[in-house]
Amino acid sequence: MQTFSKILSITALTASLALGLGSIAKAEQKTDFKVAWSIYVGWMPWGYAADHGIVKKWADKYGIKIEVTQFNDYVESMNQYTAGAFDAVTLTNMDGLSIPAAGGVDTTAVIVGDFSNGNDAVILKDKASLADIKGQNVNLVEFSVSHYLLARALESIKLTERDVKVVNTSDADMVAAYKTADVTAVVTWNPLVSTILEDPTAKKVFDSSQVPGEIIDLMVANSGVLKDNPNFGKALAGIWYETAALLTADSADGKAAREAMGQASGTDLKGFESQLAATKLFAKPADAVAFTASGSLPKTMDLVRNFLFEKGLLGNGAPSADVIGIEMPDGKILGDTGNVKLRFTETYMKAAADGSL
């Protein structure tokens, strides 16, 4: 499966900052909305819903139109959203903070769809212990969630990034790189993880299930657009939970949906289901509400914002990790209360849980 999921680069960040300051989606009442998504196991329901009439069904219910566009380049989808060309986009919690929020676009997480629960992993060649990573070159997509996972893995054994050397490697090149003699350690995500682990020399020594709930996949929307058009948020929630229920159904229709999503992502039913097994999918809205309202989310976002600040990814000259405010569902804010640019809300997920969509 060709995937560009979860990549972050300084070039993309710089571009998004420039775009975001120049053209932010106007907040006003409207009837036509545009949604961007990219290929990743937890986001495949959006493409399926668009292709099978589920998007139209919920848009029609609220008297609006929703155009859903697939991007093969994850960073480009976020850049286009930040530029105001789209009203909503799929992204991770980390990228939501570092790209649109850092680019000045007030963004709200409408749906907390899942978190990686093994899809992202640290892999060593012919070494079975994470401690063996010390002193090695580690190939990964720099400043991506792979970089974040490495930092968390090293922290777990009281090492830091100074104990290794990061080698920036494109996801497109990761499998081929692992096969070379010089590459002895990689950090990447599925389906690349599964492919690399087929090599008998490859040993998984740490994965995202060991930092559960930290790599979160979201559907976010421009906060101003959402405020003036709450029916857009309701429609997104309706689309997600109807499709997620089908995705997880133990039925012929459920299997057919998983097979279709697998094919659309470049794999087969078995491959897609293996990726799904390493994903904590919030198919039920009540589960998503409970996770979003839990005390773990502020702790996670504190880890994420500090990681991004240390890497210089919260904007040029950012004085501290507090430079951007992050609002939690209970109204509490991490960081600058006068510059809130990333918000988590239960509103639309709770409406789905209450049956009030």
Side-chain angles (χ1 to χ4, degrees), residues 16 46 60 63 101 117 124 136 186 193 198 228 235-236 281 313 337:
S16 67
W46 293 104
D60 286 351
N117 199 32
L124 300 185
Q136 294 202 44
V186 301
V193 167
E198 290 173 0
D228 288 350
L236 289 176
L281 189 77
L313 298 172
T337 58

Side-chain angles (χ1 to χ4, degrees), residues 37-58:
W37 73 282
S38 53
I39 290 176
Y40 175 67
V41 59
W43 295 329
M44 296 312 297
W46 293 104
Y48 183 89
D51 292 341
H52 291 80
I54 300 173
V55 169
K56 185 178 186 304
K57 170 188 169 180
W58 284 93

Side-chain angles (χ1 to χ4, degrees), residues 17 22 71 102 131-132 140 201 265 308 310:
L17 288 170
F71 278 74
D132 292 323
L140 52 74
T201 68
S265 63
L308 292 172
E310 288 167 8

